[in-house]
Amino acid sequence: QVQLVESGGGSVQTGGSLRLSCATSLNPDSRYCLGWIRQVPGKEREGVALLWTPDHSTYYSNSAKGRFTISLDAAKNTLYLQMNSLKPEDTAVYYCAAGTGPLGRVRRAIYEYNYWGQGTQVTVS
């Protein structure tokens, strides 16, 4: 059973920074997608930063480009999301998710992610 455990959420003022962490139980030598996907109540989930583990290629949503950075420390089996210049519209529950199917590259479709963490709340005011 794959485990994804997020940490690092919290409350921050507009313009501030937060770093989210996701400890995973995935095999670091395997090929899969990892991502940070957020959800605001009443809205669809949004993949803000996604990564393909074999080459660490990434995808960022338009809302995240230039402000968020996704990274993977393979030695620690931990995924990070560095969020800078935070805005109130970044307020959401942030989920760490993994897609372990035969994806072949970084995938944007939320349905490709078959394992999810419990989520961590980020509030920007």
Side-chain angles (χ1 to χ4, degrees):
Q1 181 70 18
V2 174
Q3 291 186 323
L4 304 167
V5 181
E6 303 103 332
S7 60
S11 297
V12 65
Q13 291 186 338
T14 298
S17 298
L18 280 174
R19 188 176 81 155
L20 306 182
S21 301
C22 174
T24 86
S25 64
L26 289 160
N27 182 343
D29 295 325
S30 296
R31 299 161 63 89
Y32 44 86
C33 285
L34 288 172
W36 291 98
I37 298 168
R38 69 186 182 187
Q39 185 162 30
V40 176
K43 294 188 177 181
E44 292 186 358
R45 290 182 174 183
E46 177 190 14
V48 294
L50 311 169
L51 180 146
W52 174 237
T53 59
D55 60 7
H56 290 208
S57 56
T58 58
Y59 162 83
Y60 293 95
S61 66
N62 287 336
S63 60
K65 282 179 185 176
R67 300 188 300 126
F68 293 3
T69 303
I70 187 172
S71 61
L72 175 64
D73 186 331
K76 296 182 178 180
N77 246 4
T78 300
L79 183 74
Y80 300 100
L81 182 67
Q82 177 67 43
M83 303 186 293
N84 299 326
S85 302
L86 283 162
K87 306 174 182 179
E89 49 265 44
D90 294 317
T91 296
V93 177
Y94 284 71
Y95 296 91
C96 174
T100 61
L103 304 178
R105 55 178 173 80
V106 64
R107 296 298 185 117
R108 297 171 53 184
I110 302 302
Y111 66 81
E112 302 277 19
Y113 293 81
N114 53 331
Y115 291 100
W116 294 75
Q118 80 284 0
T120 186
Q121 177 71 44
V122 171
T123 302
V124 185
S125 59

